[in-house]
């Protein structure tokens, strides 16, 4: 039982388990920097977190840029890599243990995040307790199929950002992904506010925090940390 004097302020981080890029011969997965730059903030702020994925175990990594110092730090940390190799299966996650959930992107999310019943269960539970929901880049694919307490799409009426349709076309993946994420979120009633392609952008709308692309990961991590500090503790 959680009380107002001892808030958990623990985050769940959900990574994709999908590794094939559509009908191509290319592989994909979660975007490494969209995990590492947020985790760096959590570690520096003492924010506990758990890594999970739809299938559990070791999720596939995409964009493994070791020239990125934060990526190199994460990949060189034995404890973090052990945790990454043993992510919790979503069906085993107890959402009441968490004050918020964060969905890093990577193209893999476009296949196993939308209409995922375990994601729906987890996000709904966290929102019922006024928890935070955060995502970046293609991570908001997780919101497709998630409804709020009124039975409306979770993102309806919310301001947010994501990997834009313009960025998808510039990345030459528009004909590969199952749908264009910005357009889909707009169809669900979200107000999507992208900036110029591949430039940093974070949008905070009450309990929903979103980043546009990998360049947005570090500022999004800071926004999540600040939001957790400011949270009114929830009695469970």
């Amino acid at each position: 039982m959680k009380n107002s004097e001892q808030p958990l302020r623990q985050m769940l981080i959900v990574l994709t388990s999908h590794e094939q890029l559509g009908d191509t011969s290319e592989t994909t997965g979660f975007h490494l920097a969209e995990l590492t730059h947020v985790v760096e903030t959590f570690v520096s702020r003492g924010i506990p977190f758990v890594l999970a994925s739809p299938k559990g175990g070791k999720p596939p990594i995409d964009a493994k840029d070791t020239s990125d110092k934060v990526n190199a730090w994460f990949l060189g940390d034995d404890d973090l890599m052990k945790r990454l190799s043993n992510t919790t299966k979503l069906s085993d996650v107890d959402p009441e243990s968490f004050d918020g959930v964060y969905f890093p992107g990577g193209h893999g999310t476009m296949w196993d995040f939308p209409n995922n019943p375990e994601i729906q269960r987890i996000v709904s539970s966290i929102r019922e307790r006024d928890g935070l929901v955060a995502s970046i880049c293609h991570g908001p694919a997780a919101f497709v199929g998630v409804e709020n307490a009124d039975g409306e799409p979770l993102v309806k009426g919310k301001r947010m950002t994501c990997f834009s349709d313009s960025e998808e076309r510039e990345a030459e993946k528009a004909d590969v992904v199952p749908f264009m994420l910005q357009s889909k979120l707009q169809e669900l009633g979200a107000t999507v506010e992208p900036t110029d392609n591949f430039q940093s952008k974070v949008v905070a709308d009450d309990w929903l925090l979103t980043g546009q692309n990998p360049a947005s990961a570090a500022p999004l991590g800071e926004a999540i940390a600040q939001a957790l500090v400011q949270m009114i503790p929830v009695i469970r």
Side-chain angles (χ1 to χ4, degrees), residues 178-200:
F179 56 86
M180 298 291 273
L181 183 55
Q182 178 185 345
S183 293
K184 174 64 74 174
L185 294 169
Q186 290 171 167
E187 290 172 11
L188 294 173
T191 298
V192 182
E193 303 175 352
T195 188
D196 295 338
N197 287 3
F198 307 109
Q199 300 302 303
S200 177

Side-chain angles (χ1 to χ4, degrees), residues 9-213:
R9 293 193 173 91
Q10 178 171 234
M11 290 292 295
L12 177 69
I13 301 178
V14 180
L15 303 167
T16 179
S17 294
H18 189 87
E19 61 183 337
Q20 182 176 350
L21 187 61
D23 295 328
T24 74
S25 59
E26 298 178 53
T27 58
T28 185
F30 74 89
H31 194 288
L32 183 59
E34 293 172 7
L35 170 67
T36 63
H37 284 258
V38 171
V39 164
E40 182 190 41
T41 298
F42 289 178
V43 170
S44 67
R45 299 289 189 90
I47 298 169
F49 64 91
V50 170
L51 300 178
S53 62
K55 293 182 179 179
K58 186 176 182 179
I61 301 175
D62 199 6
K64 195 173 182 178
D65 178 11
T66 55
S67 67
D68 180 315
K69 292 182 179 179
V70 179
N71 283 352
W73 159 76
F74 185 100
L75 295 171
D77 187 293
D78 290 341
D79 177 65
L80 290 173
M81 289 303 294
K82 181 178 180 179
R83 294 171 68 176
L84 181 62
S85 296
N86 295 277
T87 65
T88 302
K89 189 175 181 180
L90 284 187
S91 59
D92 293 331
V93 168
D94 175 8
E96 294 196 8
S97 299
F98 302 95
D99 289 296
V101 59
Y102 168 56
F103 297 96
H107 276 94
T109 64
M110 295 291 285
W111 280 271
D112 64 353
F113 277 13
N115 301 302
N116 185 308
E118 293 301 333
I119 288 176
Q120 294 168 7
R121 174 181 68 87
I122 290 165
V123 173
S124 295
S125 175
I126 287 172
R127 281 304 308 135
E128 285 173 2
R129 291 172 288 106
D130 297 323
L132 298 176
V133 178
S135 64
I136 192 169
C137 201
H138 290 90
F143 304 150
V144 177
V146 182
E147 297 180 345
N148 61 27
D150 297 324
E152 299 280 1
L154 178 76
V155 297
K156 184 176 181 180
K158 303 300 292 183
R159 294 173 48 250
M160 64 178 301
T161 191
C162 68
F163 199 68
S164 68
D165 290 358
S166 177
E167 287 173 314
E168 199 72 86
R169 286 188 287 269
E170 186 172 337
E172 300 182 344
K173 297 292 192 298
D175 295 330
V176 177
V177 292
F179 56 86
M180 298 291 273
L181 183 55
Q182 178 185 345
S183 293
K184 174 64 74 174
L185 294 169
Q186 290 171 167
E187 290 172 11
L188 294 173
T191 298
V192 182
E193 303 175 352
T195 188
D196 295 338
N197 287 3
F198 307 109
Q199 300 302 303
S200 177
K201 176 70 177 287
V202 171
V203 176
D205 186 355
D206 191 17
W207 50 266
L208 180 63
L209 296 89
T210 51
Q212 181 167 328
N213 47 39

